[in-house]
Structure formats: C-alpha cells, structure tokens
Amino acid sequence: MMFKNLPVNVFYSDETNQYIAFVPGLSWMQTQAKTIDEAMKNLQEIYDMLKEDEDFMKELEHYGRFIGFYSLNLKNA
C-alpha cells in the first residue's frame, strides 16, 4: 500500500460559516464542511471515489512531495 501526504489548505468562511478545504494543484480535491474534521473526512471520501479514475491517478502520481508550509505576511494589506 502506498501512502502520499498531501498539503491541505483550510480557510474559514464567515459568509457561509463553513471551513473550505482543498489540496493545492488538485482541482478535484476540494470541499466545505462545518468542522475541519468533517472537511478532512470529505477529502478522504473524494479520494476514495476518484482512485479508480485513471486521469486523477496520473495527476496524483505527478504531484510533488510536500516539503512544508510557509506564510507570507503582507504589509499594508
């Protein structure tokens, strides 16, 4: 069994009162939910549905190795 760690960006939307979670660069891997745990579960379910899709697996195969997360603090933003 192969494991791949993917970075997941999570934002909270005050407009919808939900967490928005997505894997950068994998447009098919995005969801929203009332909790972060639920959003992560949704992403796993999306993967489980898509793992039989040849195009998705090719995209995942070429996805780079996650190194870390950096934050850019914008001045005067």
Side-chain angles (χ1 to χ4, degrees):
M1 177 180 284
M2 178 190 82
F3 290 95
K4 190 169 195 98
N5 289 319
L6 299 175
V8 176
N9 289 352
V10 180
F11 297 92
Y12 186 78
S13 170
D14 291 325
E15 189 175 308
T16 63
N17 295 321
Q18 292 197 334
Y19 292 93
I20 299 164
F22 64 94
V23 177
L26 293 177
S27 60
W28 301 355
M29 297 286 289
Q30 56 185 320
T31 189
Q32 61 185 31
K34 292 184 184 222
T35 67
I36 294 173
D37 287 339
E38 184 181 345
M40 296 302 286
K41 181 181 172 198
N42 290 349
L43 288 175
Q44 181 64 51
E45 289 174 357
I46 291 168
Y47 169 76
D48 290 342
M49 287 188 299
L50 291 173
K51 65 185 177 185
E52 302 300 323
D53 184 284
E54 190 174 310
D55 291 335
F56 174 75
M57 292 309 289
K58 282 182 185 176
E59 188 176 351
L60 185 60
E61 181 181 316
H62 296 290
Y63 196 84
R65 184 170 46 121
F66 179 63
I67 301 298
F69 178 79
Y70 294 87
S71 178
L72 175 63
N73 294 313
L74 302 175
K75 294 179 184 177
N76 302 320

